[in-house]
Amino acid sequence: MAGGQALEASPGRYQRRRDEIDDDDCADVLGIDVRGPDADPFDIPAKRAPVERLRRWRQAALVLNASRRFRYTLDLKKEEEKEQIRRKIRAHAQVIRAALLFKEAGEKQNHDTELPEILPRGFGIGEEQLTVMTRDHNYSALQEYGGVKGLANLLKTNLEKGIHGDEADLSCRANAFGPNRYPRKKGRSFWVFLWEACQDVTLVILIIAAVISLALGIATEGIKEGWYDGTSIAFAVFLVIVVTAVSDYKQSLQFQHLNEEKQNIQVEVIRGGRRIQVSIFDIVVGDIVALKIGDQVPADGVVISGHSLAIDESSMTGESKIVMKDQKSPFLMAGCKVADGFGTMLVTAVGLNTEWGLLMASISEDNNEETPLQVRLNGVATFIGIVGLSVAAIVLVVLFARYFTGHTTNSDGSVQFVKRHMSAKSAIFGSIKMLTVAVTIVVVAVPEGLPLAVTLTLAYSMQKMMADKALVRRLSACETMGSATTICSDKTGTLTLNQMTVVQSIVGEVKLQTAGNVDKLSPTVVSLLLEGIAQNTSGSVFEAQDGSVEVTGSPTEKAILSWGLDLRMKFAEERSRSSIIHVSPFNSEKKRAGVAVVARDSDVHVHWKGAAEIVLSLCTSWLDVDGSTHEMTPDKANQLKKLIEDMAEQSLRCIAFAYRNLDLKDVPSEEQRINWQLPDNELTLIGIIGMKDPCRPEVRDAVELCKKAGVEVRMVTGDNLKTAKAIALECGILDDSEASAQAVIEGRVFRAYDDTERENVAGKIYVMARSSPNDKLLLVKALKKIGHVVAVTGDGTNDAPALHEADIGLSMGIQGTEVAKESSDIIILDDNFSSVVKVVRWGRSVYANIQKFIQFQLTVNVAALVINVIAAVSSGNVPLNAVQGLGPAMLGHQRRPTIGELLWVNLIMDTLGALALATEPPTDQLMRRPPVGRREPLVTNIMWRNLFIQAVFQVAVLLTLNFKGRDLLHLTHDTLDHSSKVKNTLIFNTFVLCQVFNEVNSRKPEELNIFAGVSRNHLFLAVVSITVVMQVIIIEFLGKFTSTVRLNWKLWLVSVVIAFLSWPLAFVGKFIPVPRTELKDLILRCWPKSGESAAQQTQDDRIALSRV
């Protein structure tokens, strides 16, 4: 392996399932479930899950509050409605627009604000005229306005310099023609979340129980004493509802903010003669927008000029058809993508005056999307819920049996139910209280908050990842990134600084070290060289009045133009000396760009620039310093190749310039020029330059960190083999000893292999040079086939298929095109590889945080349920009286039910526990482990060990206190009623404090130091502090409502000491070794089977157990 040995992964941990491998299978494309009926419904692929699979896990889940549980999952019905809306808008765009404008006008009237009609002062055309012309693609109307030039005059736009762009100009245009915004659907208010939280079935039952309890309490004990029971339950339910709603509402606000960030596209416009980047929302009518391959058209408009400008209109028309745009077909629609070429457009309609604006106003953008981890946790919640319901049913049956057979006694020893001597009211009251106990057990046992904990940690992680320069577009990518085993990275801008400078250059046989060397070249050579630099570029040079110069374009273009300026090039003058008649834009396949220009003397020159060895292979001659042309002999070609190799070994990117003359009669007519292929044969070499793009200073450490974390880094670049190898050595991807033919390969070589050969060599490749986007796609597919979880970076339009195919697609925020960004799962905002590594840390953190929360919650579940079953069966009492609801005299009037305390524990376990543990920031320890296997169980053997130790400790302590508490606490001298209350209160207090201490244990399931980094996690400290303060208030001041009594300092000390023991227990427990074999496999080994039925049964068992 390159650069050192990575951490070893367990065999088969990355093994893919059929649905993940066969992404191209037609059944998956059609949304048909290709797997058998016995497949685990709670197992979905990370990307492109079939609709049938998504429906099935919903049907299999045990849910008590569907509106809350499924809130952050994909609304399948809404998705169908969205597609219907799209079709309607395409057919009835103007009807919808009129309705929206009518609605806005009505709202203005309702506010009694009379606004005068805003006329386009200073403009020669109105908003409606522009909208109608653009909507209907009315070419005749455009000609009546004087064509594009006449339209620009009416809009007060200079076609060369754009609009003025000052505040007054922008404000005037926005008032006259509208802003480039659309009314967004408002997010759900807090009251909606409050209402949804109320819909939990168990909480509804408890509210009904509270009302009945209140009525019966007042009827039997009078209003002075009888209102406590019902009110305490109602208040506890209200507290749970409010805390749940607040937590969910805050998550919703975070997702809204992320949606706004995703929609805020940066667009290049020309204002005041300068090319600047502005937000898509700041585009105004009259703006000149520069378009290039991969861009999104930001508004409706017309083409001013363009070269090979091809537009993908499928997002608006629904037809996968590329449309060529020129002066005869100039209309552009907002929301479409530039498929090829480049050009400029004049904006004619924005916001609701475009079909794209209407579409966006009618469709709400949601982050609702279930992730594999979320679905798996629904399976865990369902499994635990079934166990909890079973326990609740057993407890209810036992309680009813003991009550109605006269085995339940009051605190004074008297029998509660005496046949024929008990009133119906008392029997009903007792039955309601027993039913309430069962319901409250279900509240704790069915962890509705477990799947939502994923959403909470994802929302938190996404917000923090924004600060780490990563914008998440697809939720599941966060958790999938934690499983990444390899990263296929671009070189330029990701591993390097993307700050190109020309450091070596040779023209003829002269090395142009300084600008003074240009005097050694003849005027003919200088003229051809500067013409090739100025015309064959997609960049530009802006010269301000104060003499300062601003160069814009891609880093490569900026470097070449800056070099031209060093050679005394006057950009504007050079451009005016000849006219462009055709352009062949650069793309990653051919590695070169060409332009045909006609000079004032009618000479036609075809200029080419591109990858040095590729352009050199097309040359049959070379230009000497005196302007003379010489044949490209084999010796001269080898000399130049050696020069290119020498530059490449210095990690320089080599670019060659060449040209050829063309007779004017050989140039096709303007109508035929669209499909004209510029001649690239018999070229004459002008010169070669070497550009340096330094490695990012932090990239070597980031690559080393990946290796330690078991993540292999591979570089995929378009540069030649020598340059790629030099950069890989500099970045630490390769060691000197490994810079061999196996580790370094050219794209064409890999492309020539068949599928089997590719799979055999893919894992050994660490550098792929001279690769095309299709080579990157082939590499991704091969790596996935051999079991890797692949993350891929990309910035170009042609990278979209690889980004789409990869498990995690990472597009570049600065250099990335909109097509690449839309195909990706995460956008790296600073184009920096170290930010990619931070995403890996956050991905692992998501999984680790969920495991911490599961360990904490299962401990409470196991302890509470075990204690309830043992005590209910043995004595008919629920011993966790203040926790689980009722004490030893649970149905007597001397001891009130304390359902509120159960709900308080549920709050600690559910919402507050998730807040504390699911928002832990990532640690360096996470990057010292191997990647998280996507098929590994959520509850590991280490977690089972920790859980078992804590649960056994809590069960033992609480049962001991329940059965022997009065003796141990020396309460025998007190009355039975009061001593029982003290004992019950102590049990409740001890149980809650055990959870607080265990919450700290759960922070570090595998590490000995559980306090590491705790001071930096302010939210965790806040949650723990609030829990402790609330517990003190409940015990000391709310005894009337919770049927507890105040504890003296000695009993408080007893509770704290018992709870504190969970820390040393956890410390010692971590020295107990655990088997490497998963628990489910150990269990299955205990069930010997034979034959095919055994194998099938084993598979079924594995599916059932894999949920946990």
Side-chain angles (χ1 to χ4, degrees):
M1 177 178 172
Q5 189 170 355
L7 292 171
E8 205 171 295
S10 57
R13 68 187 286 159
Y14 306 110
Q15 193 62 38
R16 293 174 178 275
R17 299 197 178 186
R18 177 180 173 185
D19 60 295
E20 291 183 302
I21 296 174
D22 300 332
D23 283 340
D24 296 330
D25 190 281
C26 62
D28 281 345
V29 173
L30 295 172
I32 300 169
D33 191 2
V34 296
R35 308 191 322 161
D38 296 328
D40 182 7
F42 296 106
D43 181 17
I44 66 167
K47 292 176 91 168
R48 301 183 293 282
V51 175
E52 203 53 45
R53 296 277 292 281
L54 300 181
R55 283 201 183 99
R56 199 154 50 124
W57 80 258
R58 287 164 170 75
Q59 294 164 357
L62 173 67
V63 181
L64 300 177
N65 186 350
S67 60
R68 184 166 185 251
R69 178 78 76 87
F70 296 137
R71 180 186 300 126
Y72 295 111
T73 59
L74 189 67
D75 190 327
L76 301 178
K77 187 176 180 182
K78 190 181 285 186
E79 286 301 301
E80 294 175 4
E81 291 173 355
K82 279 185 183 180
E83 188 51 43
Q84 291 174 1
I85 290 171
R86 287 190 184 98
R87 286 195 292 268
K88 287 178 183 176
I89 285 179
R90 289 168 188 150
H92 309 293
Q94 289 313 303
V95 177
I96 296 169
R97 176 174 166 267
L100 285 168
L101 292 174
F102 181 77
K103 182 181 177 183
E104 284 184 2
E107 288 174 354
K108 289 176 184 176
Q109 284 185 353
N110 291 338
H111 286 85
D112 297 325
T113 307
E114 290 198 15
L115 296 175
E117 184 179 357
I118 300 174
L119 297 174
R121 288 182 298 173
F123 302 106
I125 190 169
E127 178 184 9
E128 194 62 31
Q129 294 168 286
L130 283 170
T131 303
V132 170
M133 178 193 72
T134 309
R135 177 198 72 208
D136 298 338
H137 290 196
N138 193 333
Y139 187 72
S140 300
L142 178 62
Q143 293 304 108
E144 288 176 12
Y145 296 134
V148 175
K149 189 173 181 180
L151 188 61
N153 290 333
L154 294 174
L155 292 172
K156 305 299 180 186
T157 299
N158 184 311
L159 289 178
E160 295 294 325
K161 297 183 178 180
I163 62 175
H164 293 297
D166 55 30
E167 285 297 325
D169 185 28
L170 295 176
S171 177
C172 180
R173 291 176 183 274
N175 288 333
F177 304 105
N180 197 28
R181 295 178 181 271
Y182 43 85
R184 297 185 183 179
K185 290 191 172 182
K186 291 182 179 178
R188 286 180 290 192
S189 68
F190 172 74
W191 304 108
V192 174
F193 287 98
L194 201 65
W195 171 246
E196 287 185 354
C198 292
Q199 294 176 33
D200 193 303
V201 175
T202 51
L203 294 182
V204 171
I205 293 172
L206 289 177
I207 291 170
I208 294 170
V211 172
I212 297 172
S213 179
L214 184 65
L216 289 174
I218 292 173
T220 56
E221 299 181 36
I223 193 166
K224 189 175 181 180
E225 295 290 331
W227 65 280
Y228 289 120
D229 287 353
T231 305
S232 61
I233 297 173
F235 177 76
V237 170
F238 173 75
L239 185 64
V240 171
I241 288 171
V242 169
V243 173
T244 301
V246 169
S247 173
D248 292 345
Y249 179 59
K250 287 187 71 175
Q251 288 180 50
S252 175
L253 292 179
Q254 288 177 340
F255 284 131
Q256 283 181 36
H257 173 68
L258 288 167
N259 269 331
E260 290 169 5
E261 288 292 334
K262 284 194 292 187
Q263 293 166 356
N264 188 18
I265 297 168
Q266 294 298 303
V267 181
E268 189 176 86
V269 299
I270 302 172
R271 291 179 180 173
R274 299 175 59 195
R275 291 196 177 201
I276 60 172
Q277 295 277 337
V278 301
S279 166
I280 191 172
F281 301 121
D282 295 332
I283 297 288
V284 294
V285 169
D287 256 326
I288 305 292
V289 179
L291 298 173
K292 61 183 181 300
I293 184 170
D295 283 352
Q296 176 177 311
V297 180
D300 285 1
V302 292
V303 174
I304 299 171
S305 64
H307 301 289
S308 306
L309 189 61
I311 305 296
D312 179 3
E313 296 184 346
S314 59
S315 59
M316 293 308 301
T317 63
E319 298 176 10
S320 299
K321 185 180 178 183
I322 305 299
V323 181
M324 300 301 297
K325 295 293 179 180
D326 52 26
Q327 273 69 28
K328 292 189 176 179
S329 177
F331 293 101
L332 298 170
M333 290 189 293
C336 299
K337 304 293 187 300
V338 181
D340 198 8
F342 60 91
T344 54
M345 67 172 279
L346 174 66
V347 175
T348 58
V350 293
L352 282 176
N353 293 326
T354 69
E355 289 188 24
W356 180 254
L358 295 175
L359 182 66
M360 291 296 101
S362 304
I363 295 175
S364 60
E365 286 291 324
D366 298 321
N367 272 91
N368 294 354
E369 162 220 354
E370 54 259 50
T371 70
L373 188 54
Q374 194 177 7
V375 175
R376 287 179 72 189
L377 281 174
N378 268 286
V380 174
T382 298
F383 177 77
I384 298 171
I386 291 170
V387 173
L389 283 172
S390 304
V391 170
I394 292 168
V395 170
L396 185 61
V397 170
V398 170
L399 293 179
F400 268 116
R402 295 187 67 88
Y403 180 69
F404 288 109
T405 57
H407 287 83
T408 304
T409 58
N410 293 315
S411 57
D412 58 3
S414 60
V415 177
Q416 287 188 4
F417 181 83
V418 181
K419 198 172 182 182
R420 297 192 183 93
H421 292 83
M422 199 78 172
S423 66
K425 186 187 293 184
S426 298
I428 293 170
F429 197 35
S431 299
I432 289 172
K433 290 180 178 180
M434 287 185 289
L435 179 63
T436 307
V437 171
V439 171
T440 48
I441 290 172
V442 174
V443 172
V444 172
V446 182
E448 287 289 285
L450 197 53
L452 288 174
V454 181
T455 313
L456 178 64
T457 191
L458 287 176
Y460 170 79
S461 300
M462 287 166 71
Q463 186 183 27
K464 294 296 182 182
M465 285 166 73
M466 279 290 290
D468 281 343
K469 305 299 182 186
L471 173 61
V472 178
R473 297 189 71 256
R474 198 167 55 81
L475 277 177
S476 57
C478 284
E479 56 193 55
T480 308
M481 200 65 189
S483 301
T485 60
T486 187
I487 301 173
C488 298
S489 175
D490 286 341
K491 176 187 79 71
T492 306
T494 308
L495 297 170
T496 62
L497 288 168
N498 215 9
Q499 296 172 0
M500 299 275 191
T501 50
V502 177
V503 294
Q504 288 190 35
S505 56
I506 182 168
V507 178
E509 292 186 330
V510 173
K511 289 188 177 182
L512 302 179
Q513 300 293 354
T514 63
N517 293 120
V518 77
D519 295 331
K520 297 179 181 179
L521 304 178
S522 72
T524 304
V525 176
V526 172
S527 174
L528 283 169
L529 178 61
L530 296 185
E531 184 181 72
I533 292 172
Q535 297 288 27
N536 191 13
T537 181
S538 57
S540 67
V541 177
F542 171 72
E543 297 180 13
Q545 293 180 351
D546 60 2
S548 61
V549 176
E550 187 177 308
V551 182
T552 59
S554 70
T556 303
E557 295 292 355
K558 286 166 71 174
I560 293 172
L561 288 172
S562 298
W563 179 61
L565 294 173
D566 291 340
L567 300 179
R568 303 171 192 162
M569 176 184 72
K570 297 292 184 183
F571 184 75
E573 287 181 20
E574 205 61 53
R575 298 271 287 192
S576 64
R577 286 179 183 157
S578 56
S579 302
I580 296 174
I581 56 176
H582 193 62
V583 171
S584 177
F586 178 87
N587 67 46
S588 303
E589 294 287 344
K590 58 188 182 185
K591 308 288 186 193
R592 59 186 182 275
V595 62
V597 298
V598 58
R600 291 171 182 168
D601 56 4
S602 298
D603 285 344
V604 177
H605 296 154
V606 177
H607 286 276
W608 286 96
K609 73 174 180 190
E613 69 270 25
I614 292 176
V615 173
L616 179 62
S617 67
L618 301 172
C619 294
T620 55
S621 58
W622 59 280
L623 197 64
D624 207 346
V625 290
D626 59 0
S628 60
T629 304
H630 303 278
E631 182 187 352
M632 183 68 71
T633 62
D635 288 343
K636 183 64 177 177
N638 290 332
Q639 179 190 342
L640 292 170
K641 285 178 183 176
K642 180 69 170 60
L643 175 71
I644 293 168
E645 287 179 5
D646 290 343
M647 287 186 183
E649 285 176 354
Q650 300 171 50
S651 66
L652 301 184
R653 172 180 282 187
C654 301
I655 303 289
F657 295 85
Y659 89 106
R660 65 166 289 173
N661 290 312
L662 205 63
D663 287 336
L664 193 59
K665 66 177 186 301
D666 293 332
V667 177
S669 62
E670 194 171 337
E671 292 80 9
Q672 299 172 323
R673 220 173 280 165
I674 290 178
N675 299 317
W676 183 32
Q677 298 292 324
L678 284 181
D680 58 3
N681 58 333
E682 299 181 2
L683 301 183
T684 300
L685 181 71
I686 300 174
I688 297 171
I689 62 172
M691 295 185 296
K692 180 72 173 176
D693 184 12
C695 276
R696 292 182 181 271
E698 66 275 17
V699 78
R700 191 175 186 90
D701 290 339
V703 170
E704 191 61 34
L705 187 62
C706 281
K707 290 177 180 178
K708 288 178 180 176
V711 181
E712 297 169 349
V713 181
R714 308 172 198 276
M715 186 173 78
V716 184
T717 177
D719 284 344
N720 75 26
L721 206 64
K722 299 274 187 181
T723 305
K725 195 171 175 180
I727 291 289
L729 286 166
E730 194 175 338
C731 292
I733 294 173
L734 289 175
D735 293 335
D736 289 323
S737 59
E738 291 166 333
S740 59
Q742 263 194 334
V744 184
I745 194 171
E746 280 195 331
R748 60 182 176 80
V749 177
F750 184 73
R751 197 185 314 145
Y753 291 146
D754 60 30
D755 289 345
T756 305
E757 289 173 322
R758 286 195 205 107
E759 289 171 25
N760 290 335
V761 301
K764 302 170 187 174
I765 296 171
Y766 290 95
V767 176
M768 183 180 284
R770 283 289 178 242
S771 67
S772 68
N774 190 54
D775 298 332
K776 185 187 283 189
L777 177 62
L778 292 172
L779 178 62
V780 170
K781 286 184 174 180
L783 288 169
K784 286 178 70 177
K785 283 284 178 69
I786 61 176
H788 279 285
V789 178
V790 187
V792 169
T793 70
D795 53 14
T797 302
N798 293 333
D799 288 328
L803 291 169
H804 183 72
E805 176 67 27
D807 295 289
I808 314 102
L810 303 155
S811 63
M812 300 296 108
I814 299 173
Q815 293 299 319
T817 64
E818 285 308 311
V819 172
K821 289 175 185 176
E822 288 199 4
S823 297
S824 68
D825 308 306
I826 298 174
I827 300 173
I828 305 301
L829 299 175
D830 62 353
D831 292 16
N832 193 337
F833 183 78
S834 63
S835 297
V836 176
V837 179
K838 289 176 184 175
V839 173
V840 175
R841 278 165 57 97
W842 278 109
R844 294 187 176 193
S845 177
V846 167
Y847 198 88
N849 286 351
I850 293 303
Q851 287 188 313
K852 294 171 188 176
F853 179 58
I854 290 173
Q855 178 179 307
F856 171 69
Q857 191 168 56
L858 286 185
T859 304
V860 186
N861 282 129
V862 170
L865 293 178
V866 169
I867 293 166
N868 271 341
V869 172
I870 292 173
V873 172
S874 63
S875 65
N877 299 326
V878 181
L880 299 178
N881 39 17
V883 181
Q884 298 298 343
L886 304 173
M890 66 182 177
L891 299 178
H893 298 302
Q894 296 86 349
R895 175 70 175 124
R896 302 182 189 283
T898 52
I899 307 304
E901 290 144 358
L902 167 70
L903 295 178
W904 167 235
V905 172
N906 184 57
L907 203 58
I908 295 171
M909 183 183 74
D910 196 339
T911 307
L912 295 179
L915 276 172
L917 294 171
T919 56
E920 280 274 330
T923 62
D924 293 336
Q925 181 66 24
L926 291 171
M927 297 301 283
R928 298 191 190 107
R929 306 174 186 171
V932 180
R934 294 199 295 184
R935 300 302 168 197
E936 284 189 351
L938 285 171
V939 186
T940 63
N941 288 356
I942 289 173
M943 290 169 65
W944 281 121
R945 178 197 64 196
N946 299 342
L947 188 157
F948 179 78
I949 291 170
Q950 294 298 323
V952 168
F953 168 67
Q954 291 179 22
V955 169
V957 168
L958 295 176
L959 285 179
T960 301
L961 286 175
N962 181 66
F963 293 111
K964 299 292 183 181
R966 291 183 71 238
D967 295 328
L968 293 173
L969 300 171
H970 305 295
L971 299 174
T972 50
H973 63 278
D974 209 343
T975 63
L976 183 61
D977 182 50
H978 186 263
S979 62
S980 295
K981 285 185 177 181
V982 172
K983 183 191 70 172
N984 294 334
T985 303
L986 180 71
I987 291 174
F988 166 56
N989 199 41
T990 304
F991 187 82
V992 170
L993 292 179
C994 278
Q995 308 322 314
V996 172
F997 278 76
N998 192 38
E999 207 161 13
V1000 181
N1001 279 330
S1002 299
R1003 289 186 66 247
K1004 305 289 181 182
E1006 299 180 33
E1007 298 174 41
L1008 294 175
N1009 183 5
I1010 58 175
F1011 303 106
V1014 71
S1015 59
R1016 294 192 297 273
N1017 191 348
H1018 302 300
L1019 185 56
F1020 180 87
L1021 294 175
V1023 168
V1024 170
S1025 301
I1026 289 170
T1027 305
V1028 172
V1029 170
M1030 283 297 296
Q1031 180 64 16
V1032 172
I1033 292 172
I1034 288 171
I1035 297 296
E1036 297 298 320
F1037 302 105
L1038 299 179
K1040 199 74 172 171
F1041 294 94
T1042 56
S1043 295
T1044 55
V1045 293
R1046 290 187 176 185
L1047 298 178
N1048 58 39
W1049 69 269
K1050 292 179 182 178
L1051 293 179
W1052 269 102
L1053 186 61
V1054 169
S1055 294
V1056 172
V1057 168
I1058 291 173
F1060 175 81
L1061 288 175
S1062 65
W1063 285 353
L1065 266 176
F1067 183 85
V1068 172
K1070 286 171 185 174
F1071 290 99
I1072 300 173
V1074 295
R1076 289 182 176 274
T1077 309
E1078 293 175 13
L1079 182 63
K1080 65 178 181 181
D1081 293 331
L1082 289 173
I1083 294 171
L1084 292 173
R1085 286 177 187 174
C1086 298
W1087 295 343
K1089 302 176 180 69
S1090 59
E1092 286 185 24
S1093 60
Q1096 179 60 44
Q1097 185 60 39
T1098 301
Q1099 178 64 20
D1100 294 341
D1101 293 336
R1102 284 181 183 273
I1103 289 169
L1105 284 166
S1106 66
R1107 296 177 187 172
V1108 182

